[in-house]
Amino acid sequence: MKIAVIGSINMDIVMKVHRLPEKGETLMASDYLTVPGGKGANQAVAAARLGASVAMIGALGNDAFGDTLLKGFQDEGLNVEGIQRTTGASGNALITVDDQGDNTILVYPGANGDITPQWIHQQEKLIQEADWVMLQLEIPMNCVVAAAKLAKKHGKKVILNPAPAAELPPELYTFLDLLTPNETELALLTGITGSEAGMQELLKRGVKTIVVTLGSKGSMAKSSDGIFTAEPYAIKAVDTTAAGDAFNAGLVVALAEERPLQEALAFANAVGALTATQMGAQNSLPLRGQVDDFMKSYQA
């Protein structure tokens, strides 16, 4: 299976604290690390570790972080032809994680903000070769729209993970095969409290299938075929930073393998759950064998 991921690439600066700080409060961190991240990059690496052939389309700055991030992609076996280098800084994120695995995240877009629709169109060959195209909202919105439109021109399946939460242009909904908000993002997109009613509203806007991640309650999906749910896996969360990205990658890989939606949800839940048991973003993303073993042991 071939997947093109169009999105952000960051270096995450992670601080581990016992609890998240209050406004104006200074806390001492118990641990510190730098980890490759960015929603686009996380989803790309996650999909590759699950067995997909992945092309990453995005931007890096002309700095040490950019060099490190590019080498990381190459080490993971990703196609990096679609990564441009800009003259400024690479994107980065400051992440604070507490003992319960909850987090706060501040993102500086850096080179991610330099991506243009023209650059997206220059990568048409990579999009044309893919089976699925994965999108998020950490690059300019006009680039997200351009990528989705270009993918549908070539008959590709398109998934959008609408994070960070933002209002979407009406035409974008019509290009989407899958939209994967969490409960907060679903409410922001629709103005409706309640997952089923919110999902129905998004279907009316033209999306083919809505998948909502419910955190500790698992996930649910709605399409013209009905409503599907998948139970969560009981784990001790250490860091949920990349769990949503891992879920999205797992979902696409499973669907690309032509698994039924119900099975794809369960697989995606397992990938997300395993990711949350480790600190950091990309270093926490599991290999395919680890996911398969986890699911087998959970069912035993």
Side-chain angles (χ1 to χ4, degrees):
M1 84 203 74
K2 290 188 175 182
I3 297 172
V5 181
I6 303 167
S8 59
I9 309 170
N10 294 332
M11 183 63 82
D12 291 347
I13 302 164
V14 184
M15 298 281 187
K16 179 73 175 175
V17 294
H18 292 303
R19 60 178 176 81
L20 298 178
E22 302 292 338
K23 181 178 179 180
E25 182 181 23
T26 299
L27 296 178
M28 299 295 289
S30 59
D31 199 5
Y32 161 87
L33 66 159
T34 56
V35 185
K39 295 193 70 62
N42 292 345
Q43 293 180 18
V45 171
R49 290 186 183 177
L50 295 173
S53 174
V54 179
M56 181 72 215
I57 299 172
L60 290 168
N62 185 26
D63 55 10
F65 278 166
D67 295 339
T68 299
L69 292 163
L70 183 62
K71 184 178 185 304
F73 286 144
Q74 293 167 333
D75 291 345
E76 294 284 351
L78 271 64
N79 182 333
V80 297
E81 294 175 20
I83 296 178
Q84 65 171 323
R85 299 297 294 267
T86 69
T87 57
S90 297
N92 57 76
L94 179 60
I95 302 174
T96 307
V97 183
D98 70 13
D99 287 344
Q100 285 69 51
D102 294 323
N103 62 53
T104 61
I105 305 175
L106 291 173
V107 177
Y108 171 67
N112 297 307
D114 295 331
I115 300 174
T116 64
Q118 290 73 26
W119 175 256
I120 299 296
H121 279 278
Q122 289 174 28
Q123 313 313 313
E124 185 168 5
K125 181 174 179 290
L126 293 176
I127 293 172
Q128 190 172 2
E129 291 174 347
D131 302 306
W132 278 84
V133 173
M134 301 186 71
L135 302 167
Q136 323 78 35
L137 298 180
E138 287 185 339
I139 60 173
M141 186 67 76
N142 60 351
C143 295
V144 175
V145 174
K149 191 172 185 177
L150 185 59
K152 295 317 290 183
K153 169 188 169 183
H154 293 291
K156 306 304 173 181
K157 298 284 190 179
V158 179
I159 177 175
L160 172 64
N161 177 214
E167 185 175 346
L168 303 180
E171 69 168 333
L172 181 55
Y173 291 103
T174 65
F175 302 138
L176 303 179
D177 295 278
L178 270 174
L179 184 63
T180 59
N182 61 25
E183 291 176 287
T184 301
E185 292 153 359
L186 178 65
L188 185 144
L189 289 172
T190 64
I192 297 172
T193 302
S195 294
E196 288 192 32
M199 295 166 82
Q200 184 60 39
E201 171 59 27
L202 293 178
L203 290 176
K204 290 179 182 178
R205 297 181 190 180
V207 184
K208 292 183 175 62
T209 302
I210 314 298
V211 174
V212 179
T213 52
L214 305 171
S216 61
K217 295 178 288 184
S219 59
M220 67 185 300
K222 186 176 178 64
S223 70
S224 58
D225 294 326
I227 295 177
F228 305 87
T229 61
E231 294 297 316
Y233 290 87
I235 50 101
K236 178 174 173 50
V238 174
D239 180 5
T240 60
T241 300
D245 296 326
F247 175 93
N248 278 269
L251 184 65
V252 168
V253 166
L255 291 173
E257 293 175 348
E258 299 186 350
R259 293 201 197 185
L261 183 54
Q262 183 78 57
E263 287 184 23
L265 287 177
F267 182 77
N269 280 356
V271 179
L274 266 180
T275 299
T277 63
Q278 303 292 327
M279 274 287 290
Q282 283 172 36
N283 60 311
S284 69
L285 299 170
L287 298 170
R288 178 60 177 262
Q290 293 173 312
V291 178
D292 291 340
D293 290 344
F294 174 71
M295 295 184 74
K296 289 176 184 175
S297 66
Y298 203 87
Q299 294 165 358

